[in-house]
Amino acid sequence: MTQTFINKPPIIIAHRGASGYRLEHTLASYELAIDLGADYIEPDLVITKDGVLIARHENEISATTDIANHPEFAHLKTTKIIDNEIKTGWFTEDLTIAEIKTLTAKERIPQLRPQNLVYEGIFPIPTFTEIIDLAQHKSQAIGRNIGIYPETKHPSYFQSISLPLEDTLLLSLQTVNLPIFIQSFEVSNLKGLSRKTDLPLVQLINDTGQPYDFMINNNPRNYADLLNQKGLKEIAEYAQAIGVNKNLLIPRDNHGQLLSPTSLIIDAHAANLQVHAWTFRNEDFFLPLDCQGNPEQEYQSFFKLGVDGVFSDYPDKALKVKLYE
Ligand code: G3P
Ligand code: CA
C-alpha cells in the first residue's frame, strides 16, 4: 500500500477527527479528516458500563451528546469526582453501549463553531471498533495507510471502578495492521502498556499540573519535572514520543504573543523521543496574538522548529502548510 503522507514528518494527527468541520469524535469527523489528508485520526477513549470502548473526550457526556434531552436517562444524572474535579452530569460507565447508541453527538463549542450545529442530532457515538473498521476500510479504498492514535482517558479512575481500558484497547488493536500510537496523560498505565505491547507509546505532557496517577500515589513530581534530562530519559524507557502542549515548545507572553522557543525539541530528540504538539486550531480565539487571522503562520513556526507531529482540528490547513508553504 502506498504511503503518501504517513511517516513523512511532521505527521498530521486529526484531533478528535476534523473537529473544526464536524462534531468531534464522530465517524463523520474521522472520515472527513482522512479525506482531507490526515496521517492519523485521534480518538479519545472512555468505556461503557458493559466494557465497550467509545470515543468521547470525557466520561461525563453532557457537553458533547444530547443525553440531557433523554428523559429515560434522567435518573442517571449524578455528581462524581473525576481526577480530583467535581463533575455533574451523565457518565459513560453508567450506561451500556446499547443505551449510548440511542444518543447523538452535539457541538462542544457552538459559539466558536456554529458551522457544526447543522450536524447535531444526526451522528451517533462511535465505538473504538467502528473507528478501527473505518480506518481499515478507508485505507483499502484510498490506497494509503491511515494511522490510529487513541488516548486512554482517566485510566486510573477507570481502573478504580474495575473497568480498566488497557487490555480492551490492546485486544481491539491485536489484528490491526495500521500505524498506531497510544497516548496517555498518566504515567503508570503507559509503563504497564509498555510491558504488554510493542506498539509505540506517547507520554502526554501539559504545561501545568501533574499526572493524576502521581497525585494519587503521593508522587510530588509534576509535568515540568518530566521534561528535564533525567525525566526525558525515564520516559524514553517506556515511550517513543512525548505529546506536549505546544506552549512548552514556543511559550506565549501575557498578551498571547509568541516568545522564543525552548530547547525541548532538541532535548527530547537527544533522548530519542519524537515530539508531537497539540492543539492547532484556526480560530483566533485559540491562536497566538501574532498569528491572528493567519493560522498558517503558527504551523510554520512549529514546523521550522522541527516538531515531529501536530494535532490539528483542521488537518487540511496543517497539510497545506506542510506541503506548500
Ligand atoms: O491527546 C492530546 C491532545 O488531544 C490534547 O488533549 O485534552 O484534547 O485530549 P485533549
Ligand atoms: Ca486527546
Side-chain angles (χ1 to χ4, degrees):
M1 188 170 290
T2 53
Q3 300 280 306
T4 315
F5 304 115
I6 294 280
N7 295 334
K8 183 179 169 200
I11 57 168
I12 295 167
I13 305 147
H15 183 245
R16 314 181 193 174
S19 52
Y21 299 114
R22 296 289 185 273
L23 302 175
E24 68 179 42
H25 292 314
T26 59
L27 290 182
S29 184
Y30 300 125
E31 180 163 23
L32 180 61
I34 295 166
D35 292 340
L36 293 176
D39 298 307
Y40 286 77
I41 52 175
E42 195 242 359
D44 294 323
L45 296 179
V46 294
I47 199 162
T48 65
K49 186 178 180 177
D50 45 353
V52 177
L53 293 175
I54 60 171
R56 288 292 94 191
H57 184 260
E58 305 89 6
N59 55 333
E60 197 288 293
I61 54 175
S62 59
T64 63
T65 75
D66 64 352
I67 192 162
N69 298 334
H70 285 251
E72 69 276 23
F73 298 133
H75 66 289
L76 293 179
K77 186 174 183 182
T78 188
T79 297
K80 302 189 188 194
I81 297 174
I82 308 295
D83 294 2
N84 216 30
E85 286 181 27
I86 298 169
K87 302 278 181 190
T88 297
W90 290 264
F91 294 82
T92 59
E93 65 269 25
D94 297 331
L95 290 111
T96 64
I97 186 60
E99 290 169 332
I100 290 281
K101 281 295 183 184
T102 67
L103 309 177
T104 56
K106 74 174 193 184
E107 175 56 49
R108 172 194 299 282
I109 42 176
Q111 69 285 12
L112 290 176
R113 296 192 172 155
Q115 68 271 21
N116 286 345
L117 294 178
V118 69
Y119 302 111
E120 289 196 344
I122 298 175
F123 302 131
I125 312 308
T127 66
F128 187 45
T129 302
E130 290 169 338
I131 296 164
I132 293 170
D133 288 347
L134 173 76
Q136 289 177 318
H137 169 77
K138 294 289 284 187
S139 296
Q140 284 297 326
I142 63 181
R144 70 179 174 97
N145 276 335
I146 306 303
I148 310 172
Y149 202 121
E151 179 185 348
T152 56
K153 284 291 184 190
H154 314 299
S156 287
Y157 169 73
F158 281 121
Q159 174 78 40
S160 77
I161 60 167
S162 302
L163 283 170
L165 307 171
E166 293 78 11
D167 286 348
T168 308
L169 173 63
L170 291 184
L171 195 61
S172 308
L173 292 171
Q174 205 167 33
T175 59
V176 176
N177 191 24
L178 292 173
I180 305 291
F181 280 102
I182 299 175
Q183 42 168 344
S184 178
F185 276 106
E186 295 191 22
V187 172
S188 47
N189 81 315
L190 284 181
K191 286 186 173 174
L193 281 164
S194 75
R195 291 188 284 273
K196 293 181 177 177
T197 181
D198 291 328
L199 291 172
L201 305 178
V202 182
Q203 179 65 64
L204 295 173
I205 304 199
N206 210 342
D207 59 348
T208 58
Q210 67 174 155
Y212 177 64
D213 56 322
F214 280 17
M215 188 185 296
I216 56 179
N217 290 312
N218 298 315
N219 182 336
R221 293 203 300 167
N222 55 35
Y223 283 118
D225 296 321
L226 300 180
L227 296 180
N228 58 31
Q229 206 180 4
K230 177 172 172 281
L232 290 170
K233 204 169 151 209
E234 280 175 24
I235 293 173
E237 287 170 12
Y238 61 87
Q240 283 63 46
I242 52 174
V244 300
N245 184 319
K246 62 189 181 184
N247 295 338
L248 292 166
L249 303 180
I250 310 181
R252 299 180 191 195
D253 67 16
N254 289 340
H255 305 291
Q257 198 125 8
L258 292 177
L259 296 168
S260 297
T262 68
S263 64
L264 181 53
I265 292 187
I266 294 167
D267 299 344
H269 286 172
N272 208 23
L273 289 164
Q274 289 185 47
V275 179
H276 302 164
W278 43 270
T279 299
F280 290 80
R281 298 171 162 126
N282 286 0
E283 294 89 355
D284 279 350
F285 179 84
F286 299 109
L287 284 168
L289 194 62
D290 20 9
C291 302
Q292 297 284 300
N294 188 6
E296 292 86 352
Q297 193 184 326
E298 188 189 33
Y299 288 106
Q300 284 162 352
S301 302
F302 283 82
F303 289 180
K304 207 162 54 184
L305 208 55
V307 74
D308 302 291
V310 289
F311 292 75
S312 175
D313 288 4
Y314 294 89
D316 55 332
K317 185 70 79 181
L319 182 62
K320 177 171 164 265
V321 177
K322 170 172 147 174
L323 294 182
Y324 304 117
E325 294 182 16

